[in-house]
């Protein structure tokens, strides 16, 4: 057993280039597409965006797509599209990026949080039905960290209760669930396409649906220039054509749309290479005590899309309680990349523990915004979000390989094996995980009011 680099041993990872981790892949074709928009002074037009929407529909096999300035806006419009309004409830997993659900409150609706599964990190279908009330309008399903949510039972529950399903595909554009493209299974899908995501084209988002009414409501909400009488078939929307019902302007920037038209041509192929790299990594680490792959079984016809933020399910109980933080510290010393697409202990922190969902009165309603339009206090339904409350100490973001280069991946595998084998030496000096472990930003969460 070689000595851990943390204690003066040799580093296992000698590869230091960032090329392996750089994303998205930008070529002269992307550059030319952006310059073309600029030279034509077409930055605020919609012609290229409409072409991109067509590409998107063809690629996914969807009927309608609508471009947005970001994913948050696309999700907001998807909720409006589904008729979410005053007093309604939407169900969303507590462990996700805030934009999956936060704009519900802007519609006068509220978020009811559901728990996630400790192995898939996605919405646990077994814990879904108990969250449904006669006010539930939609379920927001997140294909969290690229792992496809278990859509079959979720759709069955939704159909039974006549509730719409919104897929947040921000982590898993183009991924598969049992052979079907993610984003084509629910009633409507929305995705972020910002530069940090798998499908990365700059500040942008997109919505797709096969439902004409949802599509037209999304147009009416924040796309005034397309909200014209001859463009709209839904009778009750026609009288309001011309002005955006939501008061928003959601148009996608055409430079992003132009990049999107190029990226979409190569995207599936590039994602396949990422999956090959990460499957190669995990195949060698399967069964190593302390760590477990967060990956779907591809023989079921599902996949991890562009494997947005590869994650390890960390099992401290198999390593005498070693903290995720200390584990990552040892890996960093071995030369495992930390910056950018590197390792980091934790995952998103549970949203329900943030005061925005407990006490904030954002619009001056005299009571917390989350329950401003309700007789029932949905906050009491947060009591059983057990996995959501501990999971960020049991997840570690892994190095995010973008290329299949076995000789480099082998070094990373060796580093993980070395740290797992020598974990006992790390127990002494382990200060444990910080209370605020995880999260993308420095959100200040409070423990929920008991
Ligand atoms: C990034 C993200 C969003 C928001 O998209 P933006 O383009 O940043 O507005 C929504 N949901 C999830 C799950 C995300 O990761």
């Amino acid at each position: 057993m070689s000595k851990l680099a943390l204690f003066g041993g040799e580093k296992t990872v000698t590869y230091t280039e960032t090329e392996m981790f750089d994303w998205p892949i930008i070529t002269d074709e992307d550059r030319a597409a952006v310059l073309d928009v600029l030279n034509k002074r077409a930055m605020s037009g919609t012609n290229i965006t409409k072409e991109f929407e067509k590409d998107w529909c063809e690629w996914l096999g969807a009927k309608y797509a609508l471009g947005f300035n970001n994913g948050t806006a696309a999700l907001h419009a998807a909720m409006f599209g589904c008729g979410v309004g005053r007093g309604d409830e939407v169900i969303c997993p507590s462990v996700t990026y805030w934009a999956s659900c936060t704009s519900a409150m802007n519609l006068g609706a509220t978020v009811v949080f559901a728990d996630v599964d400790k192995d898939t990190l996605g919405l646990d279908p077994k814990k879904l039905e108990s969250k449904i009330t006669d006010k539930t309008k939609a379920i927001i399903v997140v294909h969290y960290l690229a792992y496809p949510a278990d859509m079959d039972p979720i759709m069955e529950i939704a159909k039974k209760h006549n509730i719409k399903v919104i897929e947040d595909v921000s982590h898993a554009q183009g991924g598969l669930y049992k052979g079907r493209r993610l984003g084509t299974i629910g009633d409507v899908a929305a995705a972020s396409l910002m530069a940090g995501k798998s499908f990365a084209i700059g500040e942008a988002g997109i919505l797709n649906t096969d439902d004409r009414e949802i599509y037209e409501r999304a147009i009416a909400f924040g796309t005034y220039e397309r909200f014209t009488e001859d463009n709209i078939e839904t009778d009750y929307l026609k009288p309001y054509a011309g002005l955006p019902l939501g008061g928003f302007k959601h148009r996608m920037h055409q430079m992003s749309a132009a990049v999107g038209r190029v990226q979409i041509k190569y995207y599936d192929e590039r994602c396949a290479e990422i999956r090959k790299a990460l499957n190669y990594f995990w195949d060698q680490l399967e069964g190593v005590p302390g760590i477990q792959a967060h990956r779907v079984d591809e023989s079921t016809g599902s996949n991890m899309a562009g494997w947005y933020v590869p994650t390890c399910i960390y099992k401290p109980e198999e390593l005498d309680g070693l903290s995720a933080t200390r584990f990552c510290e040892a890996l960093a010393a071995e030369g495992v990349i930390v910056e950018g697409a590197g390792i980091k202990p934790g995952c998103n922190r549970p949203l329900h523990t943030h005061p925005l969902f407990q006490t904030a009165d954002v619009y001056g309603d005299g009571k917390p915004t989350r329950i401003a339009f309700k007789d029932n206090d949905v906050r009491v339904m947060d009591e059983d979000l057990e996995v959501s409350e501990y999971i960020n100490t049991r997840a570690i973001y892994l190095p995010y390989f973008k290329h299949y280069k076995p000789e480099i991946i082998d070094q990373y595998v060796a580093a993980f094996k070395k740290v797992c084998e020598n974990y006992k030496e790390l127990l002494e000096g382990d200060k444990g995980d910080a209370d605020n472990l995880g999260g993308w930003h420095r959100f200040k969460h409070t423990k929920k009011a008991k």
Side-chain angles (χ1 to χ4, degrees):
M1 274 199 305
S2 48
K3 194 171 178 186
L4 289 171
L6 191 67
F7 303 126
E10 253 179 75
K11 279 190 181 192
T12 322
V13 179
T14 53
Y15 176 84
T16 53
E17 309 286 304
T18 60
E19 190 270 338
M20 182 69 161
F21 305 99
D22 290 342
W23 194 259
I25 295 170
I26 298 293
T27 68
D28 284 343
E29 199 178 345
D30 301 275
R31 295 183 191 100
V34 171
L35 278 178
D36 192 48
V37 174
L38 199 61
N39 292 333
K40 287 183 174 143
R41 295 161 177 81
M43 290 85 85
S44 280
T46 55
N47 56 326
I48 299 154
T49 299
K50 283 176 180 159
E51 291 302 315
F52 175 54
E53 290 164 356
K54 268 190 227 154
D55 296 344
W56 187 266
C57 284
E58 230 167 79
W59 176 55
L60 285 184
K63 270 197 190 149
Y64 312 106
L66 188 61
F68 283 81
N69 49 359
N70 57 46
T72 306
L75 281 153
H76 198 188
M79 288 184 224
F80 183 77
C82 289
V84 173
R86 281 283 183 281
D88 289 336
E89 292 166 18
V90 300
I91 298 173
C92 183
S94 183
V95 178
T96 179
Y97 186 72
W98 58 263
S100 296
C101 61
T102 305
S103 54
M105 296 203 290
N106 189 276
L107 295 167
T110 191
V111 186
V112 170
F113 290 107
D115 209 4
V116 297
D117 178 87
K118 69 179 178 28
D119 297 312
T120 71
L121 305 183
L123 184 66
D124 184 345
K126 293 189 298 298
K127 297 187 185 165
L128 175 59
E129 208 160 5
S130 65
K131 299 289 175 172
I132 294 173
T133 73
D134 57 357
K135 293 287 184 191
T136 310
K137 210 43 168 277
I139 300 164
I140 299 166
V141 174
V142 186
H143 302 295
Y144 185 62
L145 302 176
Y147 198 110
D150 197 0
M151 293 304 287
D152 282 344
I154 293 169
M155 292 307 293
E156 199 182 305
I157 293 166
K159 286 224 168 72
K160 181 173 145 196
H161 294 273
N162 197 22
I163 295 165
K164 295 269 194 275
V165 173
I166 299 170
E167 292 181 75
D168 181 348
V169 195
S170 301
H171 294 185
Q173 300 89 343
L176 295 175
Y177 173 76
K178 299 185 182 174
R180 300 167 72 188
R181 286 278 196 187
L182 299 178
T184 63
I185 303 167
D187 295 276
V188 56
S192 170
L193 309 178
M194 56 81 77
K197 300 288 156 73
S198 284
F199 198 108
I201 64 174
E203 286 301 306
I206 199 158
L207 170 155
N208 62 263
T209 179
D210 287 353
D211 184 314
R212 183 83 199 174
E213 186 181 348
I214 292 177
Y215 172 61
E216 293 192 353
R217 284 181 63 90
I219 288 177
F221 195 55
T223 317
Y224 74 95
E225 82 287 353
R226 298 200 213 183
F227 186 28
T228 57
E229 240 180 288
D230 51 347
N231 212 8
I232 294 290
E233 293 168 9
T234 309
D235 284 332
Y236 69 83
L237 292 173
K238 279 182 188 269
Y240 312 111
L243 293 185
L245 300 190
F248 294 105
K249 187 182 172 201
H250 280 161
R251 192 188 305 172
M252 182 186 280
H253 197 297
Q254 294 232 98
M255 285 190 194
S256 290
V259 174
R261 296 208 70 200
V262 178
Q263 290 286 323
I264 204 166
K265 289 198 260 174
Y266 308 103
Y267 180 77
D268 281 335
E269 196 183 305
R270 289 170 180 170
C271 288
E273 185 172 349
I274 293 173
R275 293 198 299 273
K276 190 172 173 189
L278 281 152
N279 278 318
Y280 177 77
F281 173 80
W282 272 120
D283 286 347
Q284 297 182 75
L285 289 170
E286 205 60 74
V288 172
I291 57 177
Q292 175 184 308
H294 178 243
R295 63 170 169 174
V296 73
D297 176 3
E298 289 189 10
S299 72
T300 61
S302 301
N303 71 27
M304 297 294 283
W307 217 310
Y308 177 73
V309 191
T311 300
C312 160
I313 305 295
Y314 181 66
K315 300 184 146 180
E317 70 277 11
E318 292 178 0
L319 303 177
D320 294 338
L322 184 73
S323 72
T325 303
R326 182 73 165 158
F327 185 78
C328 287
E329 194 188 344
L331 284 167
E334 294 298 331
V336 166
I337 188 169
V338 174
E339 294 306 314
I343 47 159
K344 193 175 166 215
C347 59
N348 286 83
R349 303 188 64 195
L351 290 170
H352 71 277
T353 60
H354 193 282
L356 174 58
F357 288 105
Q358 296 299 331
T359 51
D361 175 9
V362 181
Y363 303 108
D365 293 302
K367 53 178 171 167
T369 302
R370 187 156 167 220
I371 53 167
F373 299 101
K374 305 206 60 66
D375 330 315
N376 58 327
D377 187 344
V378 297
R379 294 176 300 179
V380 301
M381 283 198 267
D382 295 344
E383 285 299 323
D384 63 348
L385 302 171
E386 180 202 353
V387 180
S388 302
E389 290 190 10
Y390 72 65
I391 199 67
N392 52 353
T393 61
R394 299 176 58 91
I396 292 173
Y397 293 147
L398 298 176
Y400 191 173
F401 307 121
K402 305 304 193 311
H403 304 280
Y404 177 67
K405 294 185 177 176
E407 62 293 354
I408 297 167
I409 298 170
D410 287 345
Q411 291 192 344
Y412 275 85
V413 169
F416 274 77
K417 281 188 175 160
K418 185 177 168 191
V419 170
C420 289
E421 278 165 17
N422 293 285
Y423 78 90
K424 281 199 160 68
E425 291 172 31
L426 294 163
L427 292 169
E428 198 187 325
D430 181 1
K431 296 197 195 73
D433 291 317
D435 284 343
N436 60 355
L437 190 71
W440 288 108
H441 300 288
R442 294 178 201 283
F443 300 143
K444 234 185 139 215
H445 292 239
T446 47
K447 268 283 168 209
K448 65 187 167 142
K450 281 272 179 217

